[in-house]
Amino acid sequence: MKTINEQPFKEKQSLELTIGSFVITTFLFALYIISNEDPTVLVIAWPFALAAIIVNAIMFIHLAEKFLHLPQQRKEIGFKILLLLSNIPITFFYYLIVMKS
């Protein structure tokens, strides 16, 4: 007989990663705009962006695996996946603005 785990999904790192990535990306974008588009800000921003992509991809894979293996907690895990993925259009918007200037 299979036991059903009714405990809530207590994983907080994905929310912290989502908020942290958003705050740091927004800070770097604002710094770039305030500094009159100083290219030295990009020297800091691009490595961070690459690292953020890698770390967020790892977290997405982790959440997707949990989504598949914990069907009773899919609603909460799905919400965390959507929050994590919400950084993509925001970062892409920042990228478009930087590339047009």
Side-chain angles (χ1 to χ4, degrees):
M1 181 170 204
K2 198 172 193 178
T3 326
I4 297 176
N5 185 3
E6 293 295 330
Q7 296 176 356
F9 187 64
K10 295 183 180 183
E11 191 274 327
K12 296 181 182 179
Q13 292 85 6
S14 64
L15 183 59
E16 293 169 357
L17 178 64
T18 301
I19 293 170
S21 295
F22 173 74
V23 168
I24 294 171
T25 303
T26 302
F27 173 76
L28 289 171
F29 175 71
L31 185 63
Y32 178 75
I33 298 298
I34 291 170
S35 70
N36 292 323
E37 301 170 2
D38 184 15
T40 55
V41 175
L42 294 178
V43 171
I44 298 167
W46 287 119
F48 168 77
L50 179 62
I53 289 169
I54 293 168
V55 172
N56 280 294
I58 292 169
M59 181 58 74
F60 174 75
I61 292 168
H62 167 73
L63 289 173
E65 185 263 332
K66 294 295 182 188
F67 185 83
L68 293 174
H69 291 115
L70 300 173
Q72 65 277 13
Q73 297 172 347
R74 283 188 178 160
K75 184 176 181 179
E76 188 174 344
I77 297 169
F79 181 72
K80 289 182 182 208
I81 289 172
L82 288 176
L83 280 177
L84 186 68
L85 293 177
S86 70
N87 275 332
I88 294 172
I90 295 166
T91 305
F92 184 68
F93 177 69
Y94 293 164
Y95 172 78
L96 288 178
I97 292 173
V98 168
M99 289 298 121
K100 286 187 177 183
S101 55

